[in-house]
Amino acid sequence: MTYLPNILFAIALVLGIGYFSKNVKKLIRNIKLGHDVDASDNKSQRWKNVVNIALGQSKMVRRPVSGILHLIVYIGFIIINVEVLEIIIDGLFGTHRIGLKVLPESVYGFLIGTFEVLACLVLLSVIIFWIRRNVLKLARFWKSEMTSWPKNDGNFILYFEIVLMTLFLVMNATDLDFQALNSGNVVSQHISPWFSSLPETTLHLIERGAWWLHILGILVFLNYLYFSKHLHILLAFPNVFYGSIKPKGELNNLEAVTNEVKLMMDPDADPYAAPAEGAQEEVPAKFGASDVMDLNRIQLLNAYTCTECGRCTSACPANLTGKKLSPRKIMMDTRDRLEEVGKNIDANQGAFKDDGKQLLGDYITTEELWACTTCNACVEECPVSINPLSIILDMRRYLVMEQSAAPTELNNMMSNIENNGAPWPYNQMDRLNWKDE
């Protein structure tokens, strides 16, 4: 019976990490449903972006209040979880505060003291976040796309943080041996008197209960990430690395279309000539995108990385003027459709069975797509380098090149360019008549 707690701990650890690994494999499988894309260029700039944007949170602090609070939670989350290593070792081998046996007491006390201070700062930050979201009701958290689950998800993670930080402090406050050291109990020494009237056996039970709930809570939190917008905790780093490093106004061109235009503009070219021997002319099976499988892997990674913070939507001029477009909704819809496709594959032994649905129409409307001004405000605002515009443009491309379903105004403009060399309905010979008026 002596080893029963260690066995139970090992089982919980294996189950928690095993389920997490299973979901990670599913996540990678879903992202790989997209087209492969080469993002191997300029690795030095990409790593610099990771350091500045993902690690340094440089785009988060553009909005100082939320940025600094997020930075506190982010640093606290990383540093405090170093203590999880001690919990895992203690749980597996039946030791208690193994750190005291391998580190000088002063060093161990400094580490735990730092963790306690950070835990308090995280608690304070999370409470302020909760007030901003639920009492002040900042507009970007209450847009139409923020239905019951996205809205609740934002609160659930705050409650998780509150419970985990509280358990950590209670665990330290009720550990009599730790308190007796009087080293590292920077915060817990002020909590310890709350339990002073309790017998030693009860204190031990509370300490053990807090210890178990803390580690089990971390395992639950780890597995909750897959179903939550907080998946960005893990995906922000690869997403920033693979994010576009081209100028924001630069659009990608389809090689097949580019070659066709070059052929049309070359007076010496023979459009009916057979391709040179060994040459391969790649014509895409579909122009643009109508479903998630038509998008590339970086775009699908973007969808899973979306933090649902709403900074993109709050900066979108179309949304601000009452249009239906919300860049955040574009990313949420893409992720929801991708999850639906993944479940379809799971239910059909690894093969996708046509369900009669697609991203375009069933999730994202043409009204949303054509409301976009392509100003790149959403791309500029995103704190983790997500690009909603690229998905919008690919779906527009599909509408124009596959469905001939451009708005009347756009068709008129393209006809004018074709006939008059300008977007306006005037003959080229009349284009300078304005100067005579």
Side-chain angles (χ1 to χ4, degrees), residues 40 69 175 200 206 258 261 268-269 279 299 334 342 366 398 407 426 432:
S40 60
L69 291 173
D175 187 337
E200 188 173 325
I206 294 174
T258 301
V261 171
D268 299 322
Q299 290 169 321
T334 303
T366 55
Y398 172 82
Y426 307 117
L432 295 179

Side-chain angles (χ1 to χ4, degrees), residues 219-329:
L219 290 174
V220 170
F221 177 86
L222 180 68
N223 284 283
Y224 176 74
L225 292 182
Y226 177 79
F227 307 96
S228 166
K229 71 189 184 77
H230 288 80
L231 193 56
H232 73 270
I233 292 172
L234 304 177
L235 296 185
F237 295 91
N239 193 77
V240 169
F241 180 83
Y242 289 113
S244 175
I245 56 174
K246 295 179 180 178
K248 288 185 173 61
E250 182 178 335
L251 304 180
N252 68 312
N253 294 314
L254 291 176
E255 188 176 353
V257 176
T258 301
N259 291 338
E260 187 71 20
V261 171
K262 287 180 178 178
L263 186 66
M264 293 169 62
M265 297 180 68
D266 185 356
D268 299 322
D270 181 1
Y272 302 103
E277 186 177 350
Q280 293 184 347
E281 185 178 3
E282 292 190 12
V283 179
K286 179 190 288 187
F287 292 108
S290 64
D291 209 349
V292 289
M293 290 81 81
D294 305 322
L295 299 172
N296 65 51
R297 294 176 181 179
I298 294 177
Q299 290 169 321
L300 299 185
L301 175 62
N302 281 182
Y304 272 124
T305 308
C306 179
T307 70
E308 296 178 15
C309 66
R311 291 188 178 203
C312 54
T313 296
S314 67
C316 175
N319 188 274
L320 290 172
T321 54
K323 305 292 192 303
K324 284 191 174 181
L325 172 65
S326 167
R328 171 173 56 188
K329 180 180 177 294

Side-chain angles (χ1 to χ4, degrees), residues 3 5-14 85-95 211-212:
Y3 298 104
N6 310 90
I7 294 171
L8 292 176
F9 182 89
I11 291 172
L13 194 64
V14 169
L85 294 174
E86 181 184 52
I87 292 179
I88 291 174
I89 295 172
D90 286 344
L92 290 175
F93 298 101
T95 55
W211 184 92
W212 273 100

Side-chain angles (χ1 to χ4, degrees), residues 77-101:
F77 179 83
I78 293 175
I79 295 178
I80 294 173
N81 278 330
V82 172
E83 187 252 355
V84 174
L85 294 174
E86 181 184 52
I87 292 179
I88 291 174
I89 295 172
D90 286 344
L92 290 175
F93 298 101
T95 55
H96 181 68
R97 293 194 180 270
I98 188 66
L100 276 172
K101 296 180 174 61

Side-chain angles (χ1 to χ4, degrees), residues 274-431:
E277 186 177 350
Q280 293 184 347
E281 185 178 3
E282 292 190 12
V283 179
K286 179 190 288 187
F287 292 108
S290 64
D291 209 349
V292 289
M293 290 81 81
D294 305 322
L295 299 172
N296 65 51
R297 294 176 181 179
I298 294 177
Q299 290 169 321
L300 299 185
L301 175 62
N302 281 182
Y304 272 124
T305 308
C306 179
T307 70
E308 296 178 15
C309 66
R311 291 188 178 203
C312 54
T313 296
S314 67
C316 175
N319 188 274
L320 290 172
T321 54
K323 305 292 192 303
K324 284 191 174 181
L325 172 65
S326 167
R328 171 173 56 188
K329 180 180 177 294
I330 297 292
M331 304 315 302
M332 293 169 67
D333 286 342
T334 303
R335 182 190 60 213
D336 291 346
R337 173 56 180 165
L338 185 54
E339 274 294 289
E340 184 178 50
V341 168
K343 291 175 182 176
N344 183 309
I345 293 172
D346 291 336
N348 292 285
Q349 290 77 48
F352 177 71
K353 183 178 180 181
D354 187 12
D355 58 1
K357 294 188 307 204
Q358 60 178 8
L359 182 61
L360 177 60
D362 293 294
Y363 284 84
I364 300 172
T365 65
T366 55
E367 183 181 353
E368 293 171 81
L369 296 176
W370 292 115
C372 177
T373 67
T374 67
C375 68
N376 270 295
C378 56
V379 183
E380 179 65 29
E381 282 295 313
C382 181
V384 288
S385 299
I386 291 171
N387 189 343
L389 179 59
S390 68
I391 295 177
I392 293 172
L393 291 177
D394 278 349
M395 297 182 80
R396 278 183 173 182
R397 180 174 281 164
Y398 172 82
L399 288 170
V400 173
M401 302 185 73
E402 292 279 348
Q403 301 292 306
S404 298
T408 302
E409 297 85 353
L410 185 57
N411 282 330
N412 290 338
M413 183 198 73
M414 289 190 289
S415 296
N416 289 332
I417 291 174
E418 181 181 2
N419 297 324
N420 306 322
W424 304 282
Y426 307 117
N427 187 285
Q428 291 190 51
M429 301 298 295
D430 299 329
R431 287 173 65 184

